[in-house]
């Protein structure tokens, strides 16, 4: 498996990677914080992300963080589990 095989290509793959592989809980605070950082083109971590993975992957990742934030139930720090 090369590096490209491990890069999420869809929202579902990204969620699986973040939650299962990384063990990160997608709380409102975490999502909002990361989304703000990724949307800040002057942030050094954002610049590094774009340099490594490219601007298209950065835009996908921003969209996926935004979608995860929208998927949270109102007034909750936790995402809805079906």
């Amino acid at each position: 498996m090369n590096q490209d095989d491990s890069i999420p290509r869809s929202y579902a793959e990204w969620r699986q990677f973040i939650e299962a592989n990384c063990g990160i809980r997608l709380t409102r605070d975490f999502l909002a914080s990361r989304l703000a950082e990724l949307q800040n083109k002057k942030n050094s971590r954002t610049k590094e992300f774009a340099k490594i993975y490219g601007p298209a992957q950065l835009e996908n990742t921003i969209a996926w963080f935004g979608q995860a934030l929208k998927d949270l139930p109102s007034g909750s720090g936790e995402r809805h589990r079906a």
Side-chain angles (χ1 to χ4, degrees), residues 18-54:
I18 293 292
E19 294 179 307
N21 296 26
C22 299
I24 296 173
R25 292 178 59 210
L26 297 180
T27 64
R28 186 169 307 283
D29 287 344
F30 173 77
L31 292 167
S33 173
R34 286 294 292 139
L35 189 56
E37 182 178 287
L38 288 167
Q39 290 174 322
N40 180 354
K41 304 292 186 197
K42 294 181 180 181
N43 183 286
S44 62
R45 287 177 51 174
T46 301
K47 288 179 184 179
E48 186 68 13
F49 185 103
K51 181 179 175 183
I52 293 169
Y53 300 107

